[in-house]
Amino acid sequence: MLGASGFLGNALYKELYRYYNTYGTYHSGKIYSDNKHYLKFDLVNDDVYELLRQVQPSVIISALRGPFTDQLEAHELMVGYAQETGCRIIFLSSANVFDAFSNYPSYENDKTLSQSIYGKLKIRVETLLMRHLPEEQYAIVRLPMVFGVGSPRIQALKNELLLGDAIEVFPHLVMNTTTDAKLRQQIHYIINRKLSGIFHLGSTDLIHHKEFIHELVIMLDLNRKPIYKNVFTSNTDRYLAVLPRDNRLPKHLQITNETVVESSKKYI
Ligand SMILES: NC(=O)c1ccc[n+]([C@@H]2O[C@H](COP(=O)([O-])OP(=O)(O)OC[C@H]3O[C@@H](n4cnc5c(N)ncnc54)[C@H](OP(=O)(O)O)[C@@H]3O)[C@@H](O)[C@H]2O)c1
């Protein structure tokens, strides 16, 4: 698990380490689990190929952030390692691979195009995997915004409310969402069943960003009046949503926006 000290990496690590012999990397943060299979890894100065040779994984999960050129290089090395050994790679990608298309939600086999440097990097890594590995060896997992009880997004919203800061909302943005809790079940299933290809792991329904954030504010119930700052990036509705169609997971692994809000509630 590359990036096991991060929000999603740690959620996945905690899900998997009791079932699989799991090793995780950290950079500046911590990994919260009790198996102590932690490895310090710096994307800029360390060689991911050497790390992989030491650990000899049968599945690599990439949940990294960091400087873009180093991320790209590390994924090139990962692909080289996978070519030599036959191991599989699960790559956490993003709905942003479609951020240049705004008129429709996107499905797994739609053409990708991005205007952002983040989305462009995700497309480059996806292309690396698709060009150089047979489909059985990779799972590209495209995620919308991820929420959940301890998510940085919920923490940030809570802080903005408590401090009376303006909360940015995008009234024309139509999106889907998910939680870290649902993602860990989905990835566990993908690994267990050896599923491969492209997966769109967003909620099955769509919602306007502003409405969704308002639902979260009501759910948080902090007795504060929210101050919204409307950000308009287009005159009409703009979609940033990854919907499943060709590679659907079973019903119990699907989620709705309503459940995302509910599951972001406890222990806050
Ligand atoms: N969260 C979302 O809503 C969302 C949505 C779509 C896609 N994604 C994708 O999911 C992946 C994980 O996201 P996240 O939200 O969990 O990110 P995160 O919490 O910021 O975690 C990023 C991980 O990368 C590690 N890292 C950062 N810089 C590094 C470096 N220079 N060298 C080595 N490791 C480094 C971090 O280590 P330390 O913390 O130890 O420094 C951490 O383990 C990312 O690829 C992201 O693009 C996330």
PDB file of all heavy atoms in Angstrom, residues 141-153:
ATOM      1  N   VAL A 141      -9.365   2.804 -10.419  1.00  0.00           N
ATOM      2  CA  VAL A 141     -10.519   3.077  -9.593  1.00  0.00           C
ATOM      3  C   VAL A 141     -10.737   4.593  -9.577  1.00  0.00           C
ATOM      4  O   VAL A 141      -9.936   5.320  -8.995  1.00  0.00           O
ATOM      5  CB  VAL A 141     -10.207   2.520  -8.181  1.00  0.00           C
ATOM      6  CG1 VAL A 141     -11.148   3.059  -7.158  1.00  0.00           C
ATOM      7  CG2 VAL A 141     -10.232   1.008  -8.190  1.00  0.00           C
ATOM      8  N   ARG A 142     -11.776   5.054 -10.267  1.00  0.00           N
ATOM      9  CA  ARG A 142     -11.989   6.512 -10.340  1.00  0.00           C
ATOM     10  C   ARG A 142     -12.946   6.943  -9.241  1.00  0.00           C
ATOM     11  O   ARG A 142     -14.048   6.401  -9.119  1.00  0.00           O
ATOM     12  CB  ARG A 142     -12.549   6.896 -11.716  1.00  0.00           C
ATOM     13  CG  ARG A 142     -11.558   6.609 -12.840  1.00  0.00           C
ATOM     14  CD  ARG A 142     -11.989   7.297 -14.124  1.00  0.00           C
ATOM     15  NE  ARG A 142     -11.115   6.942 -15.227  1.00  0.00           N
ATOM     16  CZ  ARG A 142     -11.532   6.415 -16.375  1.00  0.00           C
ATOM     17  NH1 ARG A 142     -12.831   6.202 -16.583  1.00  0.00           N
ATOM     18  NH2 ARG A 142     -10.660   6.125 -17.325  1.00  0.00           N
ATOM     19  N   LEU A 143     -12.495   7.925  -8.464  1.00  0.00           N
ATOM     20  CA  LEU A 143     -13.252   8.350  -7.285  1.00  0.00           C
ATOM     21  C   LEU A 143     -13.771   9.770  -7.436  1.00  0.00           C
ATOM     22  O   LEU A 143     -13.069  10.642  -7.945  1.00  0.00           O
ATOM     23  CB  LEU A 143     -12.344   8.322  -6.048  1.00  0.00           C
ATOM     24  CG  LEU A 143     -11.659   7.003  -5.743  1.00  0.00           C
ATOM     25  CD1 LEU A 143     -10.730   7.170  -4.555  1.00  0.00           C
ATOM     26  CD2 LEU A 143     -12.710   5.943  -5.450  1.00  0.00           C
ATOM     27  N   PRO A 144     -14.981  10.004  -6.903  1.00  0.00           N
ATOM     28  CA  PRO A 144     -15.441  11.387  -6.758  1.00  0.00           C
ATOM     29  C   PRO A 144     -14.898  11.921  -5.436  1.00  0.00           C
ATOM     30  O   PRO A 144     -14.018  11.301  -4.843  1.00  0.00           O
ATOM     31  CB  PRO A 144     -16.964  11.206  -6.690  1.00  0.00           C
ATOM     32  CG  PRO A 144     -17.127   9.898  -5.987  1.00  0.00           C
ATOM     33  CD  PRO A 144     -15.941   9.035  -6.378  1.00  0.00           C
ATOM     34  N   MET A 145     -15.428  13.044  -4.939  1.00  0.00           N
ATOM     35  CA  MET A 145     -15.012  13.537  -3.619  1.00  0.00           C
ATOM     36  C   MET A 145     -15.385  12.491  -2.570  1.00  0.00           C
ATOM     37  O   MET A 145     -16.504  11.978  -2.583  1.00  0.00           O
ATOM     38  CB  MET A 145     -15.762  14.822  -3.276  1.00  0.00           C
ATOM     39  CG  MET A 145     -15.354  16.004  -4.089  1.00  0.00           C
ATOM     40  SD  MET A 145     -16.206  17.469  -3.423  1.00  0.00           S
ATOM     41  CE  MET A 145     -15.894  18.613  -4.754  1.00  0.00           C
ATOM     42  N   VAL A 146     -14.422  12.208  -1.680  1.00  0.00           N
ATOM     43  CA  VAL A 146     -14.660  11.172  -0.668  1.00  0.00           C
ATOM     44  C   VAL A 146     -14.932  11.836   0.691  1.00  0.00           C
ATOM     45  O   VAL A 146     -14.138  12.664   1.149  1.00  0.00           O
ATOM     46  CB  VAL A 146     -13.464  10.208  -0.555  1.00  0.00           C
ATOM     47  CG1 VAL A 146     -13.799   9.062   0.389  1.00  0.00           C
ATOM     48  CG2 VAL A 146     -13.056   9.670  -1.924  1.00  0.00           C
ATOM     49  N   PHE A 147     -16.052  11.453   1.300  1.00  0.00           N
ATOM     50  CA  PHE A 147     -16.430  11.974   2.623  1.00  0.00           C
ATOM     51  C   PHE A 147     -16.364  10.831   3.640  1.00  0.00           C
ATOM     52  O   PHE A 147     -15.747   9.812   3.376  1.00  0.00           O
ATOM     53  CB  PHE A 147     -17.831  12.595   2.552  1.00  0.00           C
ATOM     54  CG  PHE A 147     -17.858  13.812   1.656  1.00  0.00           C
ATOM     55  CD1 PHE A 147     -18.030  13.686   0.281  1.00  0.00           C
ATOM     56  CD2 PHE A 147     -17.674  15.080   2.185  1.00  0.00           C
ATOM     57  CE1 PHE A 147     -18.023  14.806  -0.550  1.00  0.00           C
ATOM     58  CE2 PHE A 147     -17.666  16.199   1.365  1.00  0.00           C
ATOM     59  CZ  PHE A 147     -17.842  16.051  -0.009  1.00  0.00           C
ATOM     60  N   GLY A 148     -16.998  10.981   4.772  1.00  0.00           N
ATOM     61  CA  GLY A 148     -16.942   9.962   5.823  1.00  0.00           C
ATOM     62  C   GLY A 148     -16.609  10.631   7.142  1.00  0.00           C
ATOM     63  O   GLY A 148     -16.091  11.759   7.159  1.00  0.00           O
ATOM     64  N   VAL A 149     -16.887   9.922   8.229  1.00  0.00           N
ATOM     65  CA  VAL A 149     -16.771  10.486   9.575  1.00  0.00           C
ATOM     66  C   VAL A 149     -15.466  11.268   9.821  1.00  0.00           C
ATOM     67  O   VAL A 149     -15.487  12.414  10.212  1.00  0.00           O
ATOM     68  CB  VAL A 149     -16.870   9.348  10.623  1.00  0.00           C
ATOM     69  CG1 VAL A 149     -16.673   9.890  12.022  1.00  0.00           C
ATOM     70  CG2 VAL A 149     -18.202   8.647  10.500  1.00  0.00           C
ATOM     71  N   GLY A 150     -14.328  10.620   9.550  1.00  0.00           N
ATOM     72  CA  GLY A 150     -13.059  11.285   9.863  1.00  0.00           C
ATOM     73  C   GLY A 150     -12.406  11.921   8.649  1.00  0.00           C
ATOM     74  O   GLY A 150     -11.205  12.196   8.669  1.00  0.00           O
ATOM     75  N   SER A 151     -13.156  12.175   7.613  1.00  0.00           N
ATOM     76  CA  SER A 151     -12.534  12.656   6.362  1.00  0.00           C
ATOM     77  C   SER A 151     -12.074  14.109   6.512  1.00  0.00           C
ATOM     78  O   SER A 151     -12.706  14.906   7.209  1.00  0.00           O
ATOM     79  CB  SER A 151     -13.527  12.543   5.203  1.00  0.00           C
ATOM     80  OG  SER A 151     -14.635  13.376   5.442  1.00  0.00           O
ATOM     81  N   PRO A 152     -10.989  14.463   5.840  1.00  0.00           N
ATOM     82  CA  PRO A 152     -10.537  15.853   5.874  1.00  0.00           C
ATOM     83  C   PRO A 152     -11.627  16.823   5.397  1.00  0.00           C
ATOM     84  O   PRO A 152     -11.730  17.930   5.907  1.00  0.00           O
ATOM     85  CB  PRO A 152      -9.354  15.868   4.895  1.00  0.00           C
ATOM     86  CG  PRO A 152      -8.880  14.456   4.846  1.00  0.00           C
ATOM     87  CD  PRO A 152     -10.092  13.599   5.068  1.00  0.00           C
ATOM     88  N   ARG A 153     -12.466  16.400   4.463  1.00  0.00           N
ATOM     89  CA  ARG A 153     -13.506  17.310   3.957  1.00  0.00           C
ATOM     90  C   ARG A 153     -14.543  17.629   5.032  1.00  0.00           C
ATOM     91  O   ARG A 153     -15.017  18.764   5.143  1.00  0.00           O
ATOM     92  CB  ARG A 153     -14.198  16.706   2.731  1.00  0.00           C
ATOM     93  CG  ARG A 153     -13.310  16.675   1.505  1.00  0.00           C
ATOM     94  CD  ARG A 153     -14.019  16.002   0.337  1.00  0.00           C
ATOM     95  NE  ARG A 153     -13.087  15.587  -0.689  1.00  0.00           N
ATOM     96  CZ  ARG A 153     -12.579  16.389  -1.618  1.00  0.00           C
ATOM     97  NH1 ARG A 153     -12.943  17.655  -1.658  1.00  0.00           N
ATOM     98  NH2 ARG A 153     -11.729  15.928  -2.507  1.00  0.00           N
TER      99      ARG A 153
END
